[in-house]
Amino acid sequence: MTALVLDAPGAFRLVGTGTAAEEAAPGPGDARVRVHASGICGSDRELYQGNRPEGYVRYPVTPGHEWSGTVEAVGAGVPEALVGRKVVGEGFRNCQVCDRCHAGDTTLCTAGYEETGFTQPGAMADTLALPARLLHPLSDDADLGAAALLEPAACVAAAALKARAQPGERVAVVGTGTLGMIAVQFLAAVSPARLLVVGTRPDREQLSLSFGGTEFRIRDQLSDQLSGYDVVIETAGSASAARTSASLLRRGGRLVLTGIPAAGAQGLDPTDLVVRQIEVQTVFGAPPAAWSHAVRVFDAGLLSLRPLITHELPLTEFASAIELVGSGDPAVGKVLLRPRGLD
C-alpha cells in the first residue's frame, strides 16, 4: 500500500502505508475507498509549485481531490450496503452544523476551510478514508476512469444551476479546458437557441461542436459586435476571459465565473456591471445539490467525460504527470493517476 506525500512545494515522496490487512478500520461514520483513479488539475500544480493561496493548503499533504473508487470498508453507523459500491465523493469537509451548512451551502462552511487533497489526505494513494456522508454512489456499470472527472463536473453543475439557462436562450461558454467542455454539455442539455464556445485553442472546435456547441470562436478574434447573450459561463481562469465573458452579455444578462485568476489581476469594470445590470455569480467548489445533479446526469449517460481523458499514468509517474498538465501541449487533456496500476 502506497501514498504520495508532498512535504513542501516541489518535494514529494512515495511512502508505504503497510499491507491491506494492516490498514486501520474506518472510524464511526467513515468509509475507506479503494482508489481507482485520481485526476490532476491546475490546483494540484499550485500545490506542487507552492503558489496556492495561503490558508488553502497544509503541508505535508497527499494530493488528490478528483477521484473515483470502490468502497472496501465502512465504520460504525454507516450502512454495510455501501461496501463494494462504486463511488465518488465531495471534497469539502464541512462541519454540518453552521447556518451555511444547514442551508446547503457547504462550500461556505463558517467553521473554516478543510478539503480533501489540500488540507486533508487525498486520493493519490491506494486508499482514501473520508466521512461516508460525502460519498455519492454510482451505478454498478459506471466507468470509474470517466467518473474521476465528476469533481470538475460537479463544479460545472454548480455553475449551470446558478446560471438558470432556459430553453431558447442564447448562451456561451468561455474556456475550452475540462471545465469548459463539461459546461458545453450542461448548457446544451437545456436546448438553447445558440451555444457559442470561445477559446484560445482551434483544436477544440470539433470537440466543442460534438458536445452541442453551435458555433466556435477564437477569443482574440472576437468581433466587438458579438453580444446579446443571456447567459455566459466562464471557465478559463483569467481576468481577460472574465472581461470577454461580460462583454458577450446583453443588458441584464447572467454571468457565472468559475476560474480563479492570478492574485492582483485586474477584474471586471464595476461601472459596466451596474449600468448594464449584469448579474454575477461565482463558484468555488460544489455543494451537495450540484454533486447530486452531476452524478445523476452521468449515470443517465448524458455526460460524456471519457473523451476528455488523454493520459493515464501510474502513481509512480507523478512528476511526469505534473509536467504534462503544465506543458501547454494541445494534445494533453485530463491526466489521471492510477494508484494501483493500469490493469
Side-chain angles (χ1 to χ4, degrees), residues 128-176:
L128 171 66
L130 74 168
R133 60 180 170 77
L134 299 178
L135 296 177
H136 289 261
L138 304 171
S139 61
D140 292 340
D141 60 353
D143 175 351
L144 277 179
L149 276 66
L150 277 169
E151 191 277 341
C155 294
V156 174
L161 291 171
K162 288 187 175 186
R164 309 186 311 280
Q166 301 296 314
E169 287 192 311
R170 291 158 50 93
V171 302
V173 173
V174 175
T176 56

Side-chain angles (χ1 to χ4, degrees), residues 26 39 45 54 75 99 111 128-129 136 155 170 172 179 210 250 255 257 260 277 279 293 308 323:
R45 277 183 53 80
E54 185 177 355
D99 63 338
L128 171 66
H136 289 261
C155 294
R170 291 158 50 93
L179 292 177
S210 73
R250 64 168 172 80
L255 171 62
L257 304 174
I260 304 177
Q277 299 183 65
E279 178 184 330
H293 184 45
L308 301 176
E323 288 183 11

Side-chain angles (χ1 to χ4, degrees), residues 94-119:
N94 45 81
C95 75
Q96 291 291 289
V97 295
C98 71
D99 63 338
R100 290 299 84 209
C101 284
H102 281 305
D105 296 324
T106 52
T107 59
L108 300 176
C109 176
T110 60
Y113 171 79
E114 294 285 347
E115 186 176 3
T116 298
F118 297 107
T119 64

Side-chain angles (χ1 to χ4, degrees), residues 216-235:
F216 179 90
R217 300 288 183 90
I218 297 297
R219 180 147 58 93
D220 292 342
Q221 300 172 8
L222 285 178
S223 166
D224 291 338
Q225 284 71 48
L226 190 63
S227 61
Y229 285 82
D230 300 285
V231 170
V232 178
I233 295 179
E234 177 277 325
T235 67

Side-chain angles (χ1 to χ4, degrees), residues 8-338:
F12 70 92
R13 56 196 167 95
L14 285 171
V15 301
T17 59
T19 66
E22 294 170 338
E23 283 210 281
D30 289 347
R32 187 173 70 238
V33 175
R34 183 172 67 254
V35 177
H36 176 81
S38 180
I40 297 179
C41 81
S43 55
D44 294 305
R45 277 183 53 80
E46 289 178 348
L47 280 182
Y48 183 70
Q49 295 172 334
N51 51 16
R52 185 161 172 83
E54 185 177 355
Y56 292 89
V57 60
R58 187 163 56 240
Y59 300 100
V61 65
T62 294
H65 63 288
E66 302 179 4
W67 60 268
S68 61
T70 304
V71 177
E72 64 177 19
V74 296
V78 180
E80 284 286 340
L82 271 179
V83 176
R85 292 295 304 273
K86 294 178 178 180
V87 294
V88 290
E90 300 173 33
F92 282 76
R93 305 290 187 96
N94 45 81
C95 75
Q96 291 291 289
V97 295
C98 71
D99 63 338
R100 290 299 84 209
C101 284
H102 281 305
D105 296 324
T106 52
T107 59
L108 300 176
C109 176
T110 60
Y113 171 79
E114 294 285 347
E115 186 176 3
T116 298
F118 297 107
T119 64
Q120 297 289 333
M124 292 185 190
D126 285 303
T127 61
L128 171 66
L130 74 168
R133 60 180 170 77
L134 299 178
L135 296 177
H136 289 261
L138 304 171
S139 61
D140 292 340
D141 60 353
D143 175 351
L144 277 179
L149 276 66
L150 277 169
E151 191 277 341
C155 294
V156 174
L161 291 171
K162 288 187 175 186
R164 309 186 311 280
Q166 301 296 314
E169 287 192 311
R170 291 158 50 93
V171 302
V173 173
V174 175
T176 56
T178 298
L179 292 177
M181 293 297 91
I182 296 172
V184 171
Q185 295 181 63
F186 273 104
L187 288 179
V190 303
S191 300
R194 295 177 68 179
L195 202 177
L196 170 68
V197 183
V198 178
T200 59
R201 294 174 47 181
D203 61 291
R204 288 301 227 189
E205 180 173 3
Q206 290 306 311
L207 191 59
S208 300
L209 298 179
S210 73
F211 285 151
T214 60
E215 57 185 310
F216 179 90
R217 300 288 183 90
I218 297 297
R219 180 147 58 93
D220 292 342
Q221 300 172 8
L222 285 178
S223 166
D224 291 338
Q225 284 71 48
L226 190 63
S227 61
Y229 285 82
D230 300 285
V231 170
V232 178
I233 295 179
E234 177 277 325
T235 67
S238 69
S240 60
R243 291 191 290 272
T244 295
S245 300
S247 72
L248 292 170
L249 287 165
R250 64 168 172 80
R251 290 174 60 87
R254 306 186 295 282
L255 171 62
V256 184
L257 304 174
T258 70
I260 304 177
Q266 296 297 311
L268 301 173
D269 180 356
T271 300
D272 177 61
L273 298 180
V274 171
V275 298
R276 291 203 293 138
Q277 299 183 65
I278 300 300
E279 178 184 330
V280 181
Q281 302 252 22
T282 62
V283 169
F284 178 63
W291 270 95
S292 296
H293 184 45
V295 168
R296 185 166 54 249
V297 172
F298 177 74
D299 269 345
L302 302 175
L303 187 60
S304 181
L305 301 176
R306 173 58 67 175
L308 301 176
I309 301 168
T310 58
H311 295 77
E312 296 188 59
L313 303 173
L315 187 61
T316 52
E317 295 188 31
F318 170 75
S320 297
I322 286 289
E323 288 183 11
L324 276 172
V325 171
S327 68
D329 185 342
V332 178
K334 176 57 68 175
V335 177
L336 300 184
L337 286 175
R338 298 281 296 276

